[in-house]
Amino acid sequence: MKHSLKRGVLLLGAALLLGQGGPGGAQVGAGGAKVPSATGTGGAVATVDHDASVAAMKILEAGGNAVDAAVAAAATLGLTEPFSCGVGGGGFMVVYLAKEGRVITIDHREMAPASFTPTVFLEGGKPIAFGERVTSGLSAGIPGTVMGWQEALRRYGTKSFAEVLAPAIALAKSGYVVDDYFQSQIKDNLDRFKTFTSSAALYLPGGTLPAVGSRINNPDLARTYEAIAAGGAQAFYTGSIAQAMVDTVNTPPVAPGSTANVRKGNWALADVANYEARIRQPTVNTYRGYTVYGMQPPSSGGLTIGETLNILEGYDIAKLSEADAYHRYIEASRLAFADRGAYMADPEYTDVPQTGLLSKEFAAQRRALIGDRAAAGAVAAGNPFKFQTDPSIPLLPAPASLEGQSTTHLTVSDAQGNVVAYTFTIESIGGNGMVVPGHGFLLNNELTDFDAVAPHPNIPEAGKRPRSSMSPTIVLKDGKPVLALGSPGGSTIITTVGQAIMNILDRGMPAQAAVDAPRYSQRNGATTTVDQGGETTPLARALEAMGHKWATTDANGKLALIQFGEGGKVTAATESRRGGGGSALVQKP
Ligand code: GLU
């Protein structure tokens, strides 16, 4: 949800949530409206939605830490950004713990049910059409979000589920106001939501699009959150909510008279009950004196960004012209994406050559392939296995699969120096289109992130997690955070984060300018996808002279970052244009 059209309601909502005057004077922009960037000291919050940022700030003001505040923001986003994320999906959280000086990650990616086999997305030997896979019970993975939140709070938080879910529960009951962006996402999903009785009931009240300015409440989601607040993750993964999810997947609530071919899934209650989040080591690579911490597989984010940066490290980017810097970055992305497509998948099922992919020697070999002109198209994967320090088994390179453009990212820090970078999703905008009846949340279609055709390390298998691109990233210098960031946007997430790191750390670009800059996303194809008119700029003309070709799009992702400066200075920066803009808050402006 975005707030451009509802300042009065927003003021009322903020006052209800925070008490008059806002959170201890925290910056909420002129008249309480959202602002895309904020600078100050103390804690900071960057999300796509003002209600979510306000919820996080409320928890910080109540003495919660960055982990508590991140879960509060995420729960609010599950209500107000329901087409991008929620308890019906999964995600990856990267946490910097200031006291211990270490970074941990929580993988709560959706998981395939035990019934899955490598041929599950084939019919008559051919892949089911992607669009039909999206809107199906088959594509729903066992959600990980609630278990991820629980692990985060239990291990690293200071507040209870009841405390951090309270702002979202209050808003679910009082309702939030529909704006253009929210309405447009329903419009884009009109046929899908009409197909399912439960989705139509929630998002097409009276059978039509909710009017801009009208109010939507979600008492079913309030009850779901209240059950979690009272009973923890167990209340979600067992009992009536688990049963309702299994029923939705195995017998989708298709509206009478619908002719849609909605394939059923095959979940057992045990699949849901057995879901586990994984505490994983982050990917780590050094970059010009910085240390970059990212998400290891099943996300491809950390390794692909790490390889891109390792390749870039061989150039003095700060001294190159803008066009030369972007040329190197685009070509480094191309090479890293070739390796992503070939080698990255769930590490519990595939021997991912992680140390080889992140080795400086491998990067040097890849860098040697970059010339003064753009490659004409896709390049071959490299061979990271000879740079492995462990005995991995080479795999067959294979092409990358399709991914959605949904998802949300938030970044939160607290006054004690803890930092959370958190990306979570239900995959497509609107997930698999099915609201779980009586429970107020959409299920994901994350299992479309598997590659349907073998051989490939990312084929569907029982209990496996599909490869992701989500890239929550925290960068340290001399053991202290300097930048934390992430984005939605399918595989463009990786290039969005990589470009921002280059622009901020190497090229000295101010945080907000780096967020707003047109993005050049090269994912090992003939064209580089450019957004926000970036194909019309002098930079684009200079790159064209080096052989670069463009495809255009409205928006590659939505960055939400926090930059950390001297003397406790924090700058939170979010989109000022893409997707209706984001909301940044700092505790002490
Ligand atoms: N399913 C995608 C992933 O896990 C996220 C979808 C998106 O960001 O649009 O990488």
Side-chain angles (χ1 to χ4, degrees):
M1 183 181 56
K2 298 293 174 299
H3 294 280
S4 48
L5 299 173
K6 54 181 185 193
R7 180 161 300 186
V9 176
L10 173 73
L11 275 169
L12 177 64
L16 281 173
L17 278 170
L18 300 167
Q20 292 300 326
Q27 181 178 342
V28 289
K34 67 179 182 182
V35 290
S37 71
T39 299
T41 55
V45 185
T47 82
V48 300
D49 178 67
H50 195 57
D51 286 324
S53 292
V54 168
M57 190 54 76
K58 183 188 181 197
I59 296 296
L60 290 179
E61 286 291 308
N65 70 8
V67 173
D68 303 319
V71 177
T76 303
L77 289 166
L79 173 73
T80 60
E81 288 277 329
F83 312 120
S84 294
C85 62
V87 293
F92 297 100
M93 187 184 284
V94 178
V95 183
Y96 170 74
L97 299 165
K99 242 194 208 146
E100 300 169 39
R102 71 182 177 121
V103 177
I104 56 95
T105 77
I106 304 173
D107 162 3
H108 49 287
R109 179 73 163 165
E110 299 91 328
M111 179 187 80
S115 61
F116 252 43
T117 67
T119 57
V120 71
F121 289 123
L122 303 182
E123 278 177 5
K126 293 210 176 81
I128 298 168
F130 189 76
E132 292 193 13
R133 266 184 269 163
V134 167
T135 309
S136 72
L138 215 49
S139 67
I142 312 302
T145 295
V146 174
M147 195 60 84
W149 292 352
Q150 173 158 296
E151 289 303 321
L153 290 175
R154 201 165 58 83
R155 291 167 186 264
Y156 312 111
T158 67
K159 300 263 179 206
S160 65
F161 247 140
E163 289 168 297
V164 301
L165 295 182
I169 292 170
L171 197 60
K173 289 179 178 170
S174 64
Y176 53 93
V177 177
V178 173
D179 69 358
D180 297 311
Y181 183 66
F182 190 91
Q183 192 201 52
S184 73
Q185 292 180 89
I186 300 179
K187 211 176 195 171
D188 292 345
N189 276 288
L190 207 53
D191 288 343
R192 297 208 306 144
F193 289 173
K194 276 187 181 160
T195 299
F196 303 105
T197 49
S198 50
S199 309
L202 182 56
Y203 294 120
L204 295 167
T208 53
L209 279 180
V212 171
S214 68
R215 187 174 276 269
I216 286 197
N217 55 15
N218 190 339
D220 288 348
L221 186 63
R223 272 193 299 278
T224 298
Y225 281 180
E226 279 169 345
I228 297 166
Q234 210 195 342
F236 184 85
Y237 289 93
T238 60
S240 59
I241 301 177
Q243 185 68 57
M245 290 195 288
V246 170
D247 291 346
T248 307
V249 166
N250 293 357
T251 316
V254 177
S258 166
T259 54
N261 181 9
V262 179
R263 288 166 182 82
K264 297 176 175 190
N266 184 2
W267 285 16
L269 276 172
D271 290 319
V272 184
N274 290 341
Y275 183 84
E276 288 178 355
R278 298 271 192 271
I279 305 298
R280 297 192 191 278
Q281 291 184 358
T283 58
V284 188
N285 69 292
T286 56
Y287 180 64
R288 289 187 227 281
Y290 299 99
T291 313
V292 181
Y293 293 89
M295 212 42 240
Q296 67 143 294
S299 182
S300 57
L303 293 176
T304 312
I305 291 169
E307 183 183 338
T308 303
L309 294 176
N310 283 341
I311 296 171
L312 280 185
E313 201 176 34
Y315 306 112
D316 195 350
I317 294 289
K319 295 222 175 88
L320 295 180
S321 70
E322 183 185 39
D324 277 338
Y326 270 78
H327 168 65
R328 308 289 161 191
Y329 147 72
I330 288 170
E331 294 305 301
S333 286
R334 184 195 303 278
L335 291 159
F337 263 83
D339 298 321
R340 170 187 178 273
Y343 303 118
M344 298 177 204
D346 186 336
E348 294 171 26
Y349 288 70
T350 299
D351 198 0
V352 183
Q354 295 202 42
T355 52
L357 285 163
L358 284 184
S359 89
K360 300 287 185 191
E361 292 76 18
F362 179 57
Q365 199 182 70
R366 302 298 273 155
R367 189 184 309 118
L369 299 173
I370 299 178
D372 292 338
R373 291 191 58 81
V379 295
N383 181 3
F385 292 95
K386 40 184 188 189
F387 304 102
Q388 276 290 101
T389 49
D390 61 31
S392 293
I393 306 151
L395 295 158
L396 291 174
S401 59
L402 294 161
E403 273 172 51
Q405 291 284 324
S406 174
T407 311
T408 194
H409 177 84
L410 59 103
T411 306
V412 181
S413 63
D414 63 31
Q416 290 71 45
N418 303 300
V419 183
V420 175
Y422 182 28
T423 315
F424 74 125
T425 188
I426 53 173
E427 179 19 44
S428 294
I429 293 182
N432 80 345
M434 300 174 201
V435 167
V436 178
H439 297 284
F441 63 90
L442 281 157
L443 282 174
N444 70 84
N445 62 306
E446 211 70 54
L447 304 188
T448 57
D449 276 358
F450 281 122
D451 283 79
V453 182
H456 193 286
N458 188 39
I459 51 161
E461 291 179 79
K464 191 172 174 179
R465 300 174 190 216
R467 182 190 60 213
S468 169
S469 301
M470 290 187 276
S471 308
T473 304
I474 300 180
V475 183
L476 269 55
K477 180 146 203 199
D478 303 326
K480 295 273 174 261
V482 292
L483 183 65
L485 72 169
S487 173
S491 54
T492 69
I493 292 171
I494 292 168
T495 50
T496 290
V497 172
Q499 182 182 323
I501 290 175
M502 172 184 79
N503 276 335
I504 294 171
L505 299 185
D506 293 339
R507 303 186 62 242
M509 205 181 255
Q512 190 62 46
V515 172
D516 290 337
R519 304 216 176 92
Y520 296 76
S521 180
Q522 172 50 249
R523 288 160 288 148
N524 200 23
T527 55
T528 295
T529 307
V530 188
D531 74 352
Q532 300 285 307
E535 74 283 2
T536 63
T537 58
L539 169 62
R541 295 289 88 77
L543 287 166
E544 282 163 15
M546 298 180 205
H548 293 272
K549 295 190 175 60
W550 315 122
T552 57
T553 186
D554 282 353
N556 282 338
K558 286 186 262 182
L559 270 167
L561 63 81
I562 300 177
Q563 189 173 17
F564 304 88
E566 296 298 315
K569 184 178 164 197
V570 282
T571 300
T574 64
E575 299 294 339
S576 58
R577 291 190 301 268
R578 293 180 182 92
S583 168
L585 295 173
V586 293
Q587 223 166 352
K588 294 187 186 137

